[in-house]
Amino acid sequence: MREDSPGRANVADTPELEAYYKELEKLEAGALWTVANAIEPWYPQPESVPVLWKYDELRPLVGKAPDLVRPEDAGRRVVMLVNPNRKHLSAAVGLLYTGIQIMNPGERASAHKHAASALRFIMEGSGAYTIVDGEKMTLGARDFVLTPVGTWHEHGVDEDGAQCVWQDGLDIPLMNTLDANFYAVHENLHQDQTVPINSSYAAYSGGWIQPAFLRQNWKKPYSPMLKYPWEPTYEALLKAEKLHEGSPYDGILMEYVNPVTGGPVMPTMGASMQLLRPGQRTKAHRHTGSFVYQVAKGQGYSVINGKRFDWKEKDIFVIPSWAIHEHANLSESDDACLFTFNDLPVMRGLSLYVEEAYTENDGHQVIEN
Ligand code: GTQ
Protein backbone atom coordinates (compact mmCIF):
# COMPACT_ATOMS: atom_id res chain seq x y z
CA MET A 1 0.00 0.00 0.00
CA ARG A 2 1.99 2.97 -1.32
CA GLU A 3 1.22 6.53 -0.24
CA ASP A 4 2.33 9.59 -2.14
CA SER A 5 2.95 11.58 1.02
CA PRO A 6 6.25 12.79 2.53
CA GLY A 7 7.45 10.48 5.32
CA ARG A 8 5.28 7.54 4.18
CA ALA A 9 6.41 4.39 2.39
CA ASN A 10 6.26 4.82 -1.38
CA VAL A 11 8.43 2.21 -3.09
CA ALA A 12 7.67 0.97 -6.59
CA ASP A 13 8.01 -2.78 -7.23
CA THR A 14 10.86 -3.80 -9.51
CA PRO A 15 11.93 -7.30 -10.55
CA GLU A 16 15.02 -6.91 -8.32
CA LEU A 17 12.90 -5.93 -5.30
CA GLU A 18 10.40 -8.74 -5.86
CA ALA A 19 13.25 -11.25 -5.96
CA TYR A 20 14.65 -9.68 -2.80
CA TYR A 21 11.27 -9.98 -0.99
CA LYS A 22 11.18 -13.70 -1.89
CA GLU A 23 14.63 -14.23 -0.41
CA LEU A 24 13.61 -12.44 2.79
CA GLU A 25 10.46 -14.53 3.05
CA LYS A 26 12.49 -17.75 3.03
CA LEU A 27 14.16 -16.53 6.23
CA GLU A 28 10.83 -15.54 7.88
CA ALA A 29 11.72 -11.88 7.32
CA GLY A 30 10.29 -9.05 5.23
CA ALA A 31 10.79 -5.47 4.06
CA LEU A 32 8.99 -3.07 6.39
CA TRP A 33 8.23 -0.56 3.61
CA THR A 34 5.86 -3.06 1.92
CA VAL A 35 3.53 -2.97 4.94
CA ALA A 36 4.55 0.18 6.87
CA ASN A 37 1.56 2.32 5.81
CA ALA A 38 -0.86 -0.50 6.68
CA ILE A 39 0.58 -1.32 10.11
CA GLU A 40 1.04 2.33 11.05
CA PRO A 41 -2.27 3.91 10.03
CA TRP A 42 -2.76 7.64 10.50
CA TYR A 43 -5.66 6.89 12.86
CA PRO A 44 -7.27 3.67 14.20
CA GLN A 45 -8.60 1.46 11.41
CA PRO A 46 -10.66 -1.24 13.14
CA GLU A 47 -11.35 -4.47 11.31
CA SER A 48 -14.57 -4.65 13.34
CA VAL A 49 -17.64 -3.21 11.68
CA PRO A 50 -20.71 -1.77 13.40
CA VAL A 51 -23.35 -4.51 13.82
CA LEU A 52 -26.83 -4.57 15.34
CA TRP A 53 -28.29 -7.88 16.47
CA LYS A 54 -32.08 -7.70 16.71
CA TYR A 55 -33.38 -9.59 19.73
CA ASP A 56 -36.60 -10.51 17.90
CA GLU A 57 -34.49 -12.39 15.36
CA LEU A 58 -32.06 -13.98 17.81
CA ARG A 59 -34.49 -15.00 20.56
CA PRO A 60 -36.13 -17.91 18.69
CA LEU A 61 -32.72 -19.42 17.94
CA VAL A 62 -31.52 -18.84 21.50
CA GLY A 63 -34.72 -20.59 22.61
CA LYS A 64 -33.83 -23.70 20.61
CA ALA A 65 -30.51 -24.24 22.39
CA PRO A 66 -32.05 -25.84 25.54
CA ASP A 67 -33.57 -28.58 23.34
CA LEU A 68 -30.24 -29.25 21.69
CA VAL A 69 -27.56 -29.14 24.41
CA ARG A 70 -27.31 -29.49 28.17
CA PRO A 71 -25.29 -27.01 30.21
CA GLU A 72 -23.39 -29.98 31.70
CA ASP A 73 -22.12 -30.84 28.21
CA ALA A 74 -21.75 -27.35 26.77
CA GLY A 75 -20.04 -25.84 29.82
CA ARG A 76 -21.87 -22.64 28.97
CA ARG A 77 -24.99 -22.74 26.76
CA VAL A 78 -24.46 -19.52 24.87
CA VAL A 79 -25.20 -18.08 21.44
CA MET A 80 -22.25 -15.79 20.78
CA LEU A 81 -22.39 -12.66 18.66
CA VAL A 82 -19.56 -12.55 16.18
CA ASN A 83 -18.30 -9.57 14.24
CA PRO A 84 -18.13 -10.66 10.59
CA ASN A 85 -14.57 -9.43 10.23
CA ARG A 86 -13.21 -10.97 13.45
CA LYS A 87 -14.51 -14.54 13.28
CA HIS A 88 -11.20 -16.14 14.25
CA LEU A 89 -11.23 -14.16 17.51
CA SER A 90 -14.87 -14.85 18.51
CA ALA A 91 -15.09 -11.10 19.11
CA ALA A 92 -18.19 -8.95 18.92
CA VAL A 93 -16.10 -5.81 18.51
CA GLY A 94 -12.42 -5.02 19.04
CA LEU A 95 -11.15 -7.46 21.66
CA LEU A 96 -14.49 -7.89 23.44
CA TYR A 97 -16.67 -10.99 23.37
CA THR A 98 -20.40 -11.10 23.96
CA GLY A 99 -23.04 -13.81 23.96
CA ILE A 100 -26.58 -14.65 25.05
CA GLN A 101 -26.92 -17.40 27.64
CA ILE A 102 -30.17 -19.27 28.33
CA MET A 103 -31.06 -21.47 31.30
CA ASN A 104 -34.17 -23.32 32.38
CA PRO A 105 -35.42 -23.58 35.97
CA GLY A 106 -33.38 -26.12 37.92
CA GLU A 107 -30.43 -26.00 35.52
CA ARG A 108 -26.97 -24.98 36.62
CA ALA A 109 -23.62 -24.63 34.92
CA SER A 110 -20.41 -25.79 36.56
CA ALA A 111 -18.04 -23.52 38.45
CA HIS A 112 -14.89 -22.38 36.72
CA LYS A 113 -12.45 -19.51 36.66
CA HIS A 114 -10.34 -17.84 34.03
CA ALA A 115 -8.02 -14.93 33.41
CA ALA A 116 -10.78 -13.34 31.35
CA SER A 117 -13.01 -10.91 33.23
CA ALA A 118 -16.74 -11.36 32.74
CA LEU A 119 -20.00 -9.56 33.32
CA ARG A 120 -23.70 -10.25 32.76
CA PHE A 121 -26.70 -8.08 32.06
CA ILE A 122 -29.97 -9.88 32.73
CA MET A 123 -32.54 -9.83 29.93
CA GLU A 124 -35.42 -12.16 30.90
CA GLY A 125 -36.77 -14.49 33.52
CA SER A 126 -36.77 -14.93 37.26
CA GLY A 127 -34.85 -17.00 39.77
CA ALA A 128 -31.46 -16.57 38.11
CA TYR A 129 -28.44 -16.58 40.34
CA THR A 130 -24.70 -16.52 40.03
CA ILE A 131 -22.21 -17.58 42.68
CA VAL A 132 -18.90 -15.69 42.69
CA ASP A 133 -16.20 -16.78 45.14
CA GLY A 134 -18.81 -18.26 47.49
CA GLU A 135 -21.31 -15.37 47.29
CA LYS A 136 -24.68 -16.21 45.77
CA MET A 137 -26.40 -13.31 44.05
CA THR A 138 -30.03 -13.27 43.01
CA LEU A 139 -30.61 -11.62 39.64
CA GLY A 140 -33.57 -9.99 37.95
CA ALA A 141 -34.13 -8.21 34.64
CA ARG A 142 -31.62 -5.42 33.88
CA ASP A 143 -29.43 -6.25 36.87
CA PHE A 144 -25.72 -6.04 36.14
CA VAL A 145 -23.29 -8.48 37.76
CA LEU A 146 -19.51 -8.98 37.74
CA THR A 147 -17.50 -12.19 37.64
CA PRO A 148 -14.02 -10.66 37.69
CA VAL A 149 -10.64 -12.07 36.67
CA GLY A 150 -9.68 -15.16 38.65
CA THR A 151 -12.94 -15.56 40.58
CA TRP A 152 -14.73 -18.92 40.79
CA HIS A 153 -18.14 -18.47 39.22
CA GLU A 154 -21.19 -20.50 38.26
CA HIS A 155 -24.69 -19.70 37.10
CA GLY A 156 -28.08 -21.28 37.54
CA VAL A 157 -31.83 -20.81 37.82
CA ASP A 158 -33.80 -21.85 40.91
CA GLU A 159 -36.28 -24.73 40.54
CA ASP A 160 -39.23 -22.39 41.04
CA GLY A 161 -37.91 -19.69 38.68
CA ALA A 162 -38.73 -19.03 35.02
CA GLN A 163 -36.48 -19.54 31.99
CA CYS A 164 -33.70 -16.94 32.13
CA VAL A 165 -31.75 -15.19 29.42
CA TRP A 166 -28.83 -12.86 29.95
CA GLN A 167 -26.03 -11.22 28.04
CA ASP A 168 -22.48 -12.26 28.87
CA GLY A 169 -19.60 -9.87 28.20
CA LEU A 170 -15.98 -11.01 28.45
CA ASP A 171 -12.53 -9.85 27.44
CA ILE A 172 -11.63 -13.31 26.06
CA PRO A 173 -10.24 -11.96 22.73
CA LEU A 174 -8.05 -9.50 24.65
CA MET A 175 -6.71 -12.24 26.94
CA ASN A 176 -5.97 -14.49 23.95
CA THR A 177 -4.37 -11.68 21.94
CA LEU A 178 -2.11 -11.02 24.92
CA ASP A 179 -1.46 -14.78 25.29
CA ALA A 180 -2.48 -14.45 28.92
CA ASN A 181 -5.53 -16.70 29.22
CA PHE A 182 -5.79 -19.46 31.83
CA TYR A 183 -8.79 -21.65 32.66
CA ALA A 184 -9.63 -23.98 35.53
CA VAL A 185 -12.66 -26.07 36.45
CA HIS A 186 -13.65 -26.21 40.13
CA GLU A 187 -12.68 -29.56 41.68
CA ASN A 188 -16.22 -30.10 43.04
CA LEU A 189 -17.83 -28.57 39.93
CA HIS A 190 -19.83 -26.36 42.32
CA GLN A 191 -18.95 -23.95 45.12
CA ASP A 192 -20.13 -23.85 48.69
CA GLN A 193 -21.78 -20.62 49.73
CA THR A 194 -19.34 -19.11 52.18
CA VAL A 195 -20.90 -15.66 52.74
CA PRO A 196 -24.52 -14.49 53.01
CA ILE A 197 -26.56 -14.07 49.85
CA ASN A 198 -26.08 -10.68 48.09
CA SER A 199 -23.63 -9.66 50.83
CA SER A 200 -21.25 -7.53 48.73
CA TYR A 201 -24.15 -5.38 47.54
CA ALA A 202 -25.40 -5.07 51.13
CA ALA A 203 -21.95 -3.97 52.27
CA TYR A 204 -21.07 -1.45 49.57
CA SER A 205 -24.30 -0.02 48.18
CA GLY A 206 -24.38 2.91 50.61
CA GLY A 207 -22.79 5.27 48.10
CA TRP A 208 -21.33 8.01 50.31
CA ILE A 209 -21.26 5.89 53.49
CA GLN A 210 -18.87 2.94 53.20
CA PRO A 211 -17.57 0.20 55.54
CA ALA A 212 -14.05 1.31 56.53
CA PHE A 213 -13.21 -2.13 57.99
CA LEU A 214 -13.81 -3.74 54.59
CA ARG A 215 -12.41 -1.02 52.34
CA GLN A 216 -9.01 -0.93 53.97
CA ASN A 217 -8.53 -4.67 53.42
CA TRP A 218 -9.67 -4.74 49.80
CA LYS A 219 -6.55 -5.16 47.67
CA LYS A 220 -7.98 -6.82 44.57
CA PRO A 221 -7.98 -5.02 41.20
CA TYR A 222 -11.76 -5.07 40.78
CA SER A 223 -14.86 -3.88 42.57
CA PRO A 224 -15.73 -5.71 45.82
CA MET A 225 -19.40 -5.01 45.00
CA LEU A 226 -20.40 -7.62 42.45
CA LYS A 227 -24.06 -6.83 41.78
CA TYR A 228 -25.51 -3.55 40.51
CA PRO A 229 -29.31 -3.84 40.50
CA TRP A 230 -31.54 -2.02 38.04
CA GLU A 231 -33.95 -0.08 40.29
CA PRO A 232 -31.38 2.08 42.11
CA THR A 233 -29.50 2.52 38.82
CA TYR A 234 -32.60 3.89 37.11
CA GLU A 235 -33.47 6.07 40.12
CA ALA A 236 -29.98 7.59 39.97
CA LEU A 237 -30.39 8.31 36.27
CA LEU A 238 -33.75 10.01 36.85
CA LYS A 239 -32.30 12.08 39.69
CA ALA A 240 -29.34 13.15 37.54
CA GLU A 241 -31.64 13.95 34.63
CA LYS A 242 -33.59 16.43 36.76
CA LEU A 243 -30.42 18.23 37.88
CA HIS A 244 -28.10 18.15 34.89
CA GLU A 245 -28.06 18.76 31.21
CA GLY A 246 -25.67 15.82 30.71
CA SER A 247 -23.33 15.38 27.77
CA PRO A 248 -24.30 16.62 24.30
CA TYR A 249 -22.82 13.36 22.94
CA ASP A 250 -24.11 10.85 25.47
CA GLY A 251 -27.01 12.34 27.38
CA ILE A 252 -27.13 11.32 31.05
CA LEU A 253 -24.34 8.75 31.03
CA MET A 254 -23.51 7.21 34.40
CA GLU A 255 -20.67 4.80 35.02
CA TYR A 256 -20.87 1.73 37.21
CA VAL A 257 -17.91 2.16 39.56
CA ASN A 258 -15.81 0.29 42.06
CA PRO A 259 -17.02 1.87 45.34
CA VAL A 260 -13.54 1.63 46.87
CA THR A 261 -11.64 3.45 44.12
CA GLY A 262 -14.35 5.32 42.22
CA GLY A 263 -12.74 3.80 39.13
CA PRO A 264 -14.01 1.20 36.66
CA VAL A 265 -15.57 -2.03 37.92
CA MET A 266 -12.82 -4.28 36.55
CA PRO A 267 -9.24 -3.71 35.31
CA THR A 268 -10.02 -4.42 31.66
CA MET A 269 -13.70 -3.59 31.25
CA GLY A 270 -15.89 -0.69 32.30
CA ALA A 271 -19.66 -0.38 32.09
CA SER A 272 -22.22 2.37 32.05
CA MET A 273 -25.92 3.07 31.74
CA GLN A 274 -27.03 6.14 29.79
CA LEU A 275 -30.40 7.81 29.60
CA LEU A 276 -31.61 9.66 26.52
CA ARG A 277 -34.47 12.06 27.21
CA PRO A 278 -37.71 11.80 25.22
CA GLY A 279 -36.96 13.01 21.69
CA GLN A 280 -33.28 13.58 22.45
CA ARG A 281 -30.82 13.41 19.58
CA THR A 282 -27.18 13.58 20.66
CA LYS A 283 -24.36 15.16 18.69
CA ALA A 284 -21.82 12.97 16.95
CA HIS A 285 -18.33 12.30 18.24
CA ARG A 286 -15.68 9.63 18.10
CA HIS A 287 -13.16 8.22 20.52
CA THR A 288 -10.89 5.25 20.98
CA GLY A 289 -12.28 2.15 22.73
CA SER A 290 -14.65 -0.62 21.67
CA PHE A 291 -18.25 -0.57 22.91
CA VAL A 292 -20.96 -3.23 23.23
CA TYR A 293 -24.46 -1.85 23.86
CA GLN A 294 -27.67 -3.45 25.02
CA VAL A 295 -30.87 -1.44 24.85
CA ALA A 296 -32.18 -1.63 28.40
CA LYS A 297 -35.28 0.46 27.76
CA GLY A 298 -37.04 2.30 24.97
CA GLN A 299 -36.50 2.65 21.25
CA GLY A 300 -34.48 4.82 18.94
CA TYR A 301 -31.52 4.67 16.62
CA SER A 302 -27.80 5.26 16.47
CA VAL A 303 -25.90 6.57 13.47
CA ILE A 304 -22.51 4.90 13.25
CA ASN A 305 -20.12 6.00 10.52
CA GLY A 306 -23.04 7.39 8.52
CA LYS A 307 -25.22 4.28 8.80
CA ARG A 308 -28.46 4.26 10.76
CA PHE A 309 -29.17 1.35 13.13
CA ASP A 310 -32.69 1.28 14.58
CA TRP A 311 -32.94 -0.37 17.98
CA LYS A 312 -35.40 -1.33 20.66
CA GLU A 313 -35.33 -3.06 24.02
CA LYS A 314 -32.88 -6.01 24.28
CA ASP A 315 -31.24 -5.34 20.90
CA ILE A 316 -27.46 -5.48 21.05
CA PHE A 317 -25.15 -3.37 18.90
CA VAL A 318 -21.47 -2.52 18.75
CA ILE A 319 -19.47 0.61 18.04
CA PRO A 320 -15.87 0.01 16.98
CA SER A 321 -13.04 2.25 18.10
CA TRP A 322 -12.89 5.69 16.47
CA ALA A 323 -16.26 5.24 14.71
CA ILE A 324 -18.31 8.45 14.55
CA HIS A 325 -21.56 7.88 16.41
CA GLU A 326 -24.65 9.65 17.69
CA HIS A 327 -27.85 8.40 19.35
CA ALA A 328 -31.52 9.32 19.11
CA ASN A 329 -34.51 8.48 21.30
CA LEU A 330 -37.52 8.11 19.00
CA SER A 331 -40.11 8.38 21.74
CA GLU A 332 -41.48 11.84 22.56
CA SER A 333 -42.84 10.66 25.92
CA ASP A 334 -40.49 7.99 27.35
CA ASP A 335 -36.80 7.95 28.07
CA ALA A 336 -34.47 5.38 26.50
CA CYS A 337 -31.66 3.67 28.40
CA LEU A 338 -28.56 2.09 26.90
CA PHE A 339 -26.37 -0.31 28.83
CA THR A 340 -22.75 -0.45 27.64
CA PHE A 341 -19.63 -2.34 28.43
CA ASN A 342 -16.30 -1.36 26.96
CA ASP A 343 -12.51 -1.59 27.09
CA LEU A 344 -12.04 1.96 28.37
CA PRO A 345 -9.96 0.88 31.41
CA VAL A 346 -7.43 -0.56 28.95
CA MET A 347 -7.51 2.55 26.76
CA ARG A 348 -7.15 4.89 29.72
CA GLY A 349 -4.64 2.68 31.53
CA LEU A 350 -2.35 2.68 28.50
CA SER A 351 -2.86 6.42 27.88
CA LEU A 352 -4.59 5.66 24.57
CA TYR A 353 -7.90 7.41 25.14
CA VAL A 354 -8.54 10.10 22.51
CA GLU A 355 -11.86 11.84 21.90
CA GLU A 356 -12.96 14.23 19.16
CA ALA A 357 -16.19 16.07 18.40
CA TYR A 358 -17.72 15.81 14.94
CA THR A 359 -18.05 19.41 13.82
CA GLU A 360 -19.55 19.26 10.33
CA ASN A 361 -23.23 19.68 9.58
CA ASP A 362 -24.13 21.05 13.04
CA GLY A 363 -22.59 17.98 14.69
CA HIS A 364 -24.73 15.42 12.88
CA GLN A 365 -23.71 12.88 10.29
CA VAL A 366 -25.34 12.59 6.93
CA ILE A 367 -27.21 9.27 6.99
CA GLU A 368 -26.27 7.13 4.00
CA ASN A 369 -28.96 4.47 4.13
O1 GTQ B 1 -19.85 -17.73 32.22
O2 GTQ B 1 -17.72 -17.64 32.41
O3 GTQ B 1 -20.49 -16.52 27.39
O4 GTQ B 1 -16.38 -18.48 30.37
C1 GTQ B 1 -18.33 -17.40 27.51
C2 GTQ B 1 -17.29 -17.90 28.27
C3 GTQ B 1 -19.62 -17.11 29.49
C4 GTQ B 1 -18.73 -17.67 31.73
C5 GTQ B 1 -19.48 -17.02 28.13
C6 GTQ B 1 -17.41 -18.00 29.64
C7 GTQ B 1 -18.59 -17.61 30.25
Side-chain angles (χ1 to χ4, degrees):
M1 191 179 67
R2 293 170 63 184
E3 270 180 50
D4 185 13
S5 173
R8 298 293 270 180
N10 187 13
V11 178
D13 278 347
T14 61
E16 291 78 13
L17 274 174
E18 276 169 32
Y20 176 63
Y21 297 154
K22 285 210 175 91
E23 281 188 280
L24 286 174
E25 230 178 281
K26 278 188 219 147
L27 300 184
E28 313 299 350
L32 171 65
W33 60 86
T34 62
V35 297
N37 297 336
I39 67 169
E40 294 187 288
W42 294 99
Y43 51 85
Q45 304 261 3
E47 287 177 356
S48 304
V49 292
V51 184
L52 179 132
W53 290 271
K54 287 190 195 302
Y55 194 63
D56 284 347
E57 289 177 3
L58 279 175
R59 182 63 178 84
L61 284 179
V62 171
K64 277 187 186 172
D67 302 330
L68 299 169
V69 284
R70 304 185 309 161
E72 297 90 296
D73 300 325
R76 295 288 186 260
R77 189 170 53 210
V78 179
V79 170
M80 59 178 186
L81 308 184
V82 187
N83 199 281
N85 285 351
R86 323 294 307 291
K87 286 190 176 150
H88 58 297
L89 290 171
S90 298
V93 64
L95 295 173
L96 298 174
Y97 158 100
T98 200
I100 301 177
Q101 187 160 168
I102 183 162
M103 268 200 181
N104 281 331
E107 286 184 332
R108 57 182 191 165
S110 53
H112 69 203
K113 66 176 181 178
H114 32 65
S117 297
L119 55 84
R120 348 250 139 220
F121 190 77
I122 313 304
M123 304 173 86
E124 275 184 40
S126 67
Y129 65 86
T130 189
I131 307 175
V132 179
D133 277 348
E135 180 189 344
K136 180 172 179 177
M137 282 165 279
T138 51
L139 304 169
R142 300 169 176 148
D143 288 352
F144 168 54
V145 64
L146 310 180
T147 49
V149 43
T151 54
W152 292 111
H153 57 282
E154 63 193 273
H155 319 297
V157 176
D158 291 334
E159 291 282 355
D160 57 358
Q163 188 180 61
C164 288
V165 179
W166 61 82
Q167 180 184 12
D168 290 333
L170 292 96
D171 58 8
I172 290 171
L174 173 66
M175 290 304 109
N176 290 334
T177 301
L178 294 173
D179 291 331
N181 216 354
F182 289 89
Y183 190 96
V185 176
H186 195 282
E187 57 179 348
N188 302 328
L189 290 180
H190 296 286
Q191 304 165 73
D192 293 330
Q193 288 178 52
T194 53
V195 294
I197 208 161
N198 295 322
S199 54
S200 69
Y201 179 71
Y204 285 101
S205 57
W208 48 269
I209 186 88
Q210 292 279 323
F213 49 93
L214 295 178
R215 281 162 71 86
Q216 65 206 21
N217 297 325
W218 186 257
K219 300 286 184 284
K220 294 181 177 165
Y222 50 82
S223 170
M225 190 172 98
L226 299 170
K227 170 171 138 172
Y228 297 76
W230 165 248
E231 274 81 15
T233 304
Y234 187 55
E235 271 168 36
L237 286 161
L238 292 179
K239 226 186 257 179
E241 183 211 359
K242 289 204 180 74
L243 294 169
H244 305 286
E245 189 51 39
S247 151
Y249 309 106
D250 283 309
I252 301 291
L253 185 146
M254 296 186 67
E255 291 175 336
Y256 294 97
V257 298
N258 173 339
V260 173
T261 62
V265 289
M266 294 188 286
T268 51
M269 289 190 292
S272 54
M273 181 69 79
Q274 76 193 89
L275 179 146
L276 303 171
R277 293 187 169 90
Q280 180 168 13
R281 184 174 172 199
T282 66
K283 292 201 169 193
H285 72 161
R286 63 178 166 187
H287 44 73
T288 47
S290 298
F291 288 71
V292 181
Y293 286 77
Q294 187 192 134
V295 182
K297 187 171 179 289
Q299 60 178 70
Y301 66 88
S302 299
V303 186
I304 310 169
N305 283 344
K307 206 171 155 196
R308 174 169 161 162
F309 295 86
D310 280 83
W311 41 252
K312 65 184 177 87
E313 205 176 304
K314 299 191 181 72
D315 288 347
I316 293 172
F317 63 97
V318 293
I319 302 187
S321 187
W322 207 238
I324 304 169
H325 58 278
E326 60 194 271
H327 308 293
N329 178 356
L330 278 174
S331 169
E332 293 297 332
S333 53
D334 291 327
D335 54 48
C337 293
L338 301 174
F339 169 78
T340 321
F341 72 91
N342 57 63
D343 60 3
L344 282 180
V346 176
M347 291 295 155
R348 293 212 166 103
L350 301 179
S351 302
L352 296 173
Y353 186 72
V354 184
E355 186 176 350
E356 189 180 275
Y358 182 76
T359 50
E360 288 165 48
N361 197 25
D362 197 29
H364 294 294
Q365 300 162 81
V366 176
I367 300 172
E368 290 159 10
N369 58 332

